[in-house]
Amino acid sequence: MTLIEGITSGFLQSISWAVFPYLLGGSIFGLIIGVIPGLSGHFAMAMAVTFLYTMEPGAGIAFLLGAHATVAQGGGLTAILFSTPGTGQNAATLLDGPPMRDKGEAGVAVGAAMASCFLGATFGAIVLALLIPVLREVVLFFGPPEVFVLAFLALTFVAVLGKEDMTRSLIAALLGLLLAMIGVDNVTNTERFTMGSERMADGLSLVPVILGLFAVAEMIDLWARGGSLAKDMPTALSAKDTQKQIFKGIGTAFTHWWLVMRCSAIGTTMGLIPGLGSAPAAFVAYGHAKQTSKDKASFGKGNVEGVIGPEAANDAVEGGALASTLAFGIPGSSSMAILLSGLFILGLETGPVMLNTNVDLVFIMIFTIIIGNLIGTIVGMFLVNPLSRATSIRASVMVPVLMAIIATGAFAGDRAIFDIGVAVIFGIVGYAMKVLNYSRAALLIGFVLGFAVEKNLYLALLLDGPLFILQPIPLALAIITIVFLGWNVFSIYRDRRRRIIPGEPVN
């Protein structure tokens, strides 16, 4: 089957009655899962896999990927409206989404987020279509040395996430790396920081840590100050005003098309590299958006660019992750690992067979990502009104309800009461960090990248010795890391010097 035949067949199958109902059902299911805190894309796909046994390949792929495609959109809704990220990749949206809500611009933030998700997913899907012929060669350039340095480059982006206090931000990031080491070391099989607990031997799960740092911490803060979730918004907006804001936010996302393109490219590139995932990509995109913005000071206070950047990146990731999965069976994320099992259930193989014999199924996947996100955007618009009006409910009513949902989300992953305790403990830690002006986002990205940094450093030293950093790609990435970190140190020193020396001219 030629490429043109595959594109045509894939599109016609995607909109056919044999496939489209499954795509629609999967997309709505994924959006609902995304709205529920703690239930991420891999949870949605794990649930969807159980329905594949009686489906045809096209319908099964559409249902499975449709369920995954809209999760980030649902998670973005709750991250903005309730300061509770539905999924890990939406954590970066917490930095500017809730501040926009507090200023009465919840609809603008949601509209920008949904449109950015759609545009990012479309970008990733197009890149997938273009890169498949050369993908094997591209991805194989990234071994352990390259992945280690790239992960460390992502970690240095925390320097711009700490509200101008790079020292506190880096402290939080290093604490995240330390927390990622809890459990049995996958390389040496040695227990670290487990205190003799069998539960601690498995390490800390990402979902309860995220829910604790952000959701529980926000609930503690909301309970302490009282009032409503949208603290600076005197009354709930009408349905008409909310819809106006949503369309304004969608228009804003298209206005910032160049930022969307750049952040989508960041997400797609990081998705190509197995193991990094969408959460680091969202934080890197946020850092890039802040670095390139003309209004850096407003980031963290409700800048719409801080919503557009990460939301575009976290949906674009899946195009890259899907590409490496289909080309030679290396899943770029946990969701893609579940996709592999789903393809096996449907009787399909990845690699040359998929890219040549079943190229129409590849394009069903591509069109599923695009159409699924479009469905999520349209359906999400109807969910904003009831959800945004709920933000005006007083804290004494809202907090118990959301805490019950948060506890359910923390429990759902591993079905362990222990994870609810982890969420509560990290909620206290997150609230303390918020009060003391430490970056919770920096801690989270350190925690997320901890495993990739440690494992790939060990493998790089084992395979290439301590001079692995002098190889071309690691050396180039290391230079970028040093320049980026050095520029931030210089900028902070320069700004402090200007504040100390009155009357110094500003260049």
Side-chain angles (χ1 to χ4, degrees):
M1 180 177 289
T2 65
L3 195 63
I4 300 299
E5 290 174 341
I7 295 173
T8 304
S9 177
F11 177 71
L12 292 177
Q13 288 184 64
S14 298
I15 60 175
S16 69
W17 285 110
V19 174
F20 184 77
Y22 293 96
L23 198 166
L24 177 64
S27 300
I28 295 174
F29 172 69
L31 188 68
I32 294 171
I33 291 297
V35 168
I36 302 173
L39 302 184
S40 57
H42 59 262
F43 177 87
M45 294 185 77
M47 294 289 290
V49 160
T50 60
F51 296 96
L52 297 182
Y53 291 94
T54 58
M55 291 186 184
E56 293 296 320
I61 287 172
F63 183 71
L64 188 60
L65 271 182
H68 179 62
T70 55
V71 168
Q73 289 178 310
L77 282 174
T78 54
I80 293 167
L81 297 177
F82 301 108
S83 302
T84 304
T87 65
Q89 65 256 46
N90 298 117
T93 308
L94 291 170
L95 299 173
D96 278 281
M100 291 186 68
R101 173 205 68 202
D102 294 342
K103 294 192 297 185
E105 299 178 346
V108 177
V110 169
M114 291 191 300
S116 299
C117 279
F118 169 69
L119 294 173
T122 302
F123 182 94
I126 293 174
V127 170
L128 166 61
L130 296 175
L131 285 187
I132 281 178
V134 296
L135 185 62
R136 176 186 285 272
E137 299 297 327
V138 172
V139 177
L140 289 182
F141 279 120
F142 284 83
E146 290 78 14
V147 173
F148 164 72
V149 182
L150 185 62
F152 205 80
L153 171 62
L155 191 61
T156 61
F157 270 83
V158 301
V160 298
L161 298 180
K163 295 184 179 179
E164 310 308 329
D165 192 338
M166 190 175 69
T167 302
R168 292 186 180 187
S169 186
L170 290 176
I171 288 173
L174 293 174
L175 177 60
L177 283 175
L178 188 64
L179 290 171
M181 295 181 184
I182 293 175
V184 176
D185 180 10
N186 289 305
V187 176
T188 63
N189 205 32
T190 303
E191 290 191 4
R192 302 178 299 189
F193 312 120
T194 61
M195 296 174 285
S197 170
E198 291 184 4
R199 288 292 313 173
M200 294 285 281
D202 293 331
L204 298 173
S205 298
L206 180 60
V207 166
V209 170
I210 291 174
L211 291 176
L213 281 175
F214 295 98
V216 176
E218 290 299 326
M219 293 305 101
I220 295 174
D221 180 59
L222 178 59
W223 185 268
R225 62 179 168 83
S228 65
L229 195 61
K231 55 189 177 185
D232 298 331
M233 187 176 171
T235 57
L237 291 174
S238 66
K240 183 178 180 180
D241 289 337
T242 301
Q243 287 300 326
K244 286 182 179 178
Q245 284 200 355
I246 290 173
F247 285 113
K248 179 182 177 182
I250 293 173
T252 302
F254 280 93
T255 301
H256 290 81
W257 64 272
W258 181 230
L259 175 64
V260 171
M261 292 282 286
R262 297 196 311 270
C263 291
S264 297
I266 290 171
T268 304
T269 302
M270 295 187 71
L272 284 168
I273 303 166
L276 289 185
S278 53
F283 282 114
V284 171
Y286 181 89
H288 171 73
K290 183 174 181 179
Q291 285 290 91
T292 57
S293 175
K294 296 179 180 178
D295 188 16
K296 298 181 178 65
S298 66
F299 274 72
K301 301 175 183 177
N303 189 319
V304 71
E305 294 177 43
V307 174
I308 291 173
E311 288 295 324
N314 63 32
D315 260 37
V317 163
E318 297 310 324
L322 185 60
S324 60
T325 303
L326 295 179
F328 45 93
I330 296 180
S333 64
S334 57
S335 298
M336 293 301 103
I338 298 173
L339 175 66
L340 281 178
S341 65
L343 293 176
F344 177 76
I345 291 172
L346 295 170
L348 301 173
E349 291 183 38
T350 58
V353 175
M354 175 68 72
L355 298 180
N356 294 300
T357 307
N358 298 320
V359 70
D360 58 327
L361 296 180
V362 176
F363 282 97
I364 288 179
M365 297 182 192
I366 291 171
F367 288 117
T368 293
I369 293 173
I370 297 172
I371 298 173
N373 274 272
L374 180 60
I375 292 171
T377 299
I378 295 171
V379 174
M381 290 174 62
F382 293 98
L383 291 177
V384 174
N385 281 324
L387 288 176
S388 62
R389 294 182 71 84
T391 63
S392 63
I393 299 174
R394 63 183 186 272
S396 58
V397 175
M398 180 68 74
V399 170
V401 174
L402 288 180
M403 282 299 295
I405 296 174
I406 292 166
T408 303
F411 178 81
D414 295 327
R415 298 182 178 273
I417 299 295
F418 175 82
D419 286 342
I420 298 178
V422 171
V424 171
I425 291 172
F426 274 90
I428 297 171
V429 172
Y431 179 69
M433 293 181 71
K434 183 175 182 178
V435 171
L436 297 173
N437 198 30
Y438 279 79
S439 173
R440 292 174 290 168
L443 187 148
L444 179 60
I445 192 171
F447 181 77
V448 169
L449 289 177
F451 177 75
V453 169
E454 184 181 16
K455 183 188 75 172
N456 287 287
L457 174 60
Y458 178 86
L459 291 175
L461 291 171
L462 184 67
L463 296 173
D464 301 303
L467 297 180
F468 72 87
I469 197 70
L470 298 180
Q471 296 178 19
I473 295 179
L475 182 60
L477 293 173
I479 291 172
I480 293 173
T481 303
I482 294 170
V483 170
F484 174 79
L485 199 56
W487 173 253
N488 277 277
V489 171
F490 170 75
S491 299
I492 292 172
Y493 172 77
R494 180 190 58 193
D495 293 342
R496 286 180 178 176
R497 188 166 175 268
R498 285 175 177 172
R499 287 195 294 266
I500 292 171
I501 304 176
E504 184 184 68
V506 178
N507 294 324

